[in-house]
Structure formats: structure tokens, C-alpha cells
Amino acid sequence: FFWSHLTCEWFWWDRLWLPRPVTWVDLQDSEGRVYARVSHLYIILPVAVLLLGLRAFYERLIAVPLAEALGVKDKIRKRASHNPVLEKYYNTHSKHPTQADIKGVCKKLGWSERQVERWFRRRRNQDRPGLLKKFKEASWRFAFYLCSSFGGVLALHDKPWFYDLREVWAGFPKQSLLDSQYWYYIIEMSFYGSLLFSVAADVKRKDFKEQLVHHWATLTLLSFSWCANYIRIGTLVMLVHDTSDVLLESAKMFNYAGWETTCNSIFVVFALVFMVTRLIIFPFWLIHCTWVYPLDQFEPFFGYYFFNVMLVVLLLLHVFWASVILRMVKKFIFGKLKGDERSDEEEDEEGSEEDYTHTYSNESGNGLSNGH
């Protein structure tokens, strides 16, 4: 108990979170002022669960009918025949056996190499998510990001720091919490929490690890900014991120529906918006705002460095995704866009292992990179 109490006191030490000479005592609710509290974040877990339930209803009542209207259908796949030997190898050794392994299996089963290769291709196709599942996921995210972006604009359009970033630090950290800021934060954090809960069931792509890092970095950044009262800059960061994601998810939806021209047009617009918001506005306006302007009012402290480091982590992820997007744009411009940088296409029943390619426009997976 002693060490637990000591650790708690050290963790909430004023100098870690607040600039000198401000202490937690100065941030007690008084005179009509309300400040952010850690206890406010407890509601995130139940709201995240509520969002998961809302997602289930949305996908069933809205996404599925919308998919049918747009002509989105799952491809009928031939299932791999039941074979305990191959199934055990597939689950315990490798989903992509080497040629030597294939020959060894052929001797054991008395099959030809072509039969074994075909079995593994069909088995891998069985594990790939269907087109309808991907459409439902993209549709849900599109609906959330659209509502979140609209809500963010409503919450910020009449605030002075939306137009003058120096106002972000006016009176910091003694800035009263607004109702619009509270709900914007809670809903946004709950959404990312729900993504972590559903990560095992959602479509897995090549940047799965980067997505996990992104979700954890976002939740850590938002939680810290809430506790340290970096809420004004936090709302701006959320709005900048959600804007391009609306276009991303809509492009995915049209991609799955086979509307190639519409998808490509939205993708080009998405690429431009992504580059402007994530690689120009985010580093040169928002990170500059958190790195330079605070020094006019107080000396650097741990929270100042930690917050900026987390923003840089997000920026590095943006650079990673920007490189993926630029490669796709290059292929698109020169008419060589046959591969997706993130997800793989369903394999041809009679193709070779070299036919295990990545696609953008006619894939069973999505061909766009998500940067949140």
C-alpha cells in the first residue's frame, strides 16, 4: 500500500503535468469554471461498448441495404476439401509453403504439386474477409468520421483559437472545460477504444501493426491532453485527422461497389487532402503551435516534451502512410496501378504462387491506406 501510494503521488506530481508555478490545487472547480478530470474518462469504456452495439445495428440496418443498392456482393468461393494433414500444416507451419514443403506433402498424400498448391490457394481464400464485410466496415467508419467532422466544425467554428492558434494558450492551463469539448473528446476516444476492442474481428491489412500503434498513440495523446488540459489543441488535432478519413472511407465504399471512376476521383482528392492536412497543417501549424508558442508563457516541463513527442510519433505514421499513397498515385498516373500497398487480392484458383498479387481497383480487399 505504501509503495502504491508513493507511486500514485509521483505519477500525479504537479511538475510532470503542469508548468510552474501552477499546481492541481489551482485547477479546482470554482467560480463557474469547470476543469477536466481523470474521472471524466471513466465513461469511455461504456460508450465504446455502446458504439460497438450501434455499429452492429448500423451494419445490419443501413450498410447491408446500401451494399445491395450499390451492387456489392461476396464472390462465391470454392472451399478447400477437408484434409487433416494439410489443415494441420496450414495452421501450425505456414500458409505459404515452400516448394520443398509442397513436394514433401505430395509424397505423404499421393497428390500432385498442382493439387496441393490449389488446396492452399483455396484455403487462404477462405480466410480472406468477404467484400461485404469490408464494405460494412468502411461504411461504418465513413458514417462516424462524417458525423465527427461535422460535430468538430460545430464545436470549433465560433472559437477564437480556431482562427488564431496563439489563443490556444491564452490563460493556459486555467481554461474552463466546455460541454462541446467534453463530448467531442469522449466520443472520439470511445470510438478509438471500440476499434481496439474489435481489432481481432476487423479486416487485417499489411499495416496492422502501424494501425495498432496509431490507435494507442491517439488514445495516449488524447488522455494526456485531457488530464493536462491541452484540450484546445486536442480538438484541433482531432478535426485535422478526421477530415481526410471521410474521403478515404467513401473511396473504399465505391471501390468495393466497382465504381472505378468515382473511386479513383475520390482517391485523388483524398490524397491531396491527406498531404495538406497531415503533412502541412499538422506539422507546420499544430506542432509548431505546441512546440513554439507555449514557451512565450512558461518554461518547458515534462508534459510539454511528452505531448510533443507523441505528436511527432503521429507525424511519423503520417509519413509512412503518405509514402504508400504516393506510390499508389504514381502508379495511377502512369496507368500501372495493379497493386495495393496494403491488402491482397483473392488468389486465382488455377494461378501460381506468383499470382498472389496486390490490387487497388478490383480487389477483394481495400486499396487505400488509413492514416487515424
Side-chain angles (χ1 to χ4, degrees), residues 29-229:
D29 297 349
S30 62
E31 299 178 357
R33 286 179 171 267
V34 178
Y35 296 103
R37 294 278 178 269
V38 178
S39 58
H40 292 159
L41 301 181
Y42 296 162
I43 196 176
I44 289 175
L45 181 59
V47 174
V49 175
L50 183 64
L51 284 176
L52 289 174
L54 181 61
R55 173 180 175 176
F57 279 106
Y58 174 88
E59 290 182 351
R60 176 175 297 183
L61 301 178
I62 298 178
V64 171
L66 181 60
E68 293 176 355
L70 294 176
V72 179
K73 296 180 181 179
D74 282 333
K75 181 180 179 181
I76 299 176
R77 298 169 175 171
K78 294 182 179 180
R79 297 183 63 84
S81 59
H82 177 66
N83 189 298
V85 175
L86 293 178
E87 190 68 29
K88 181 179 180 181
Y89 184 95
Y90 181 86
N91 291 322
T92 60
H93 289 78
S94 174
K95 297 181 180 180
H96 297 271
T98 63
Q99 202 62 33
D101 291 334
I102 290 176
K103 290 181 179 179
V105 172
C106 289
K107 292 179 180 179
K108 186 178 295 187
L109 296 176
W111 287 17
S112 68
E113 291 184 17
R114 189 176 185 84
Q115 285 177 309
V116 174
E117 290 174 349
R118 185 186 296 117
W119 188 94
F120 275 97
R121 280 193 293 273
R122 289 181 176 178
R123 185 64 182 83
R124 286 193 294 268
N125 285 339
Q126 284 178 212
D127 283 350
R128 291 190 173 92
L131 206 60
L132 182 58
K133 178 179 179 180
K134 294 180 179 181
F135 180 89
K136 291 191 296 183
E137 181 180 313
S139 177
W140 163 249
R141 296 191 182 195
F142 167 77
F144 176 83
Y145 290 132
L146 182 63
C147 294
S148 178
S149 298
F150 183 70
V153 172
L154 285 180
L156 291 168
H157 78 282
D158 59 345
K159 306 300 186 296
W161 54 87
F162 186 63
Y163 306 97
D164 182 4
L165 291 179
R166 289 189 179 274
E167 289 294 323
V168 166
W169 305 105
F172 178 83
K174 299 179 181 181
Q175 298 171 339
S176 184
L177 176 66
L178 305 176
D179 289 340
S180 58
Q181 294 172 328
Y182 172 82
W183 286 111
Y184 194 16
Y185 254 80
I186 294 301
I187 293 176
E188 194 85 9
M189 293 180 69
S190 298
F191 176 72
Y192 282 103
S194 70
L195 291 182
L196 288 177
F197 292 153
S198 64
V199 70
D202 285 343
V203 178
K204 290 185 175 59
R205 300 181 174 87
K206 290 171 62 178
D207 63 348
F208 176 74
K209 294 181 180 179
E210 288 82 2
Q211 286 286 351
L212 283 181
V213 171
H214 174 268
H215 296 341
W216 279 112
T218 301
L219 283 173
T220 302
L221 184 65
L222 292 177
S223 299
F224 178 84
S225 65
W226 179 269
C227 296
N229 218 21

Side-chain angles (χ1 to χ4, degrees), residues 351-364:
S352 64
E353 286 299 315
E354 286 73 24
D355 289 333
Y356 179 49
T357 58
H358 298 89
T359 184
Y360 163 69
S361 60
N362 295 312
E363 59 154 316
S364 64

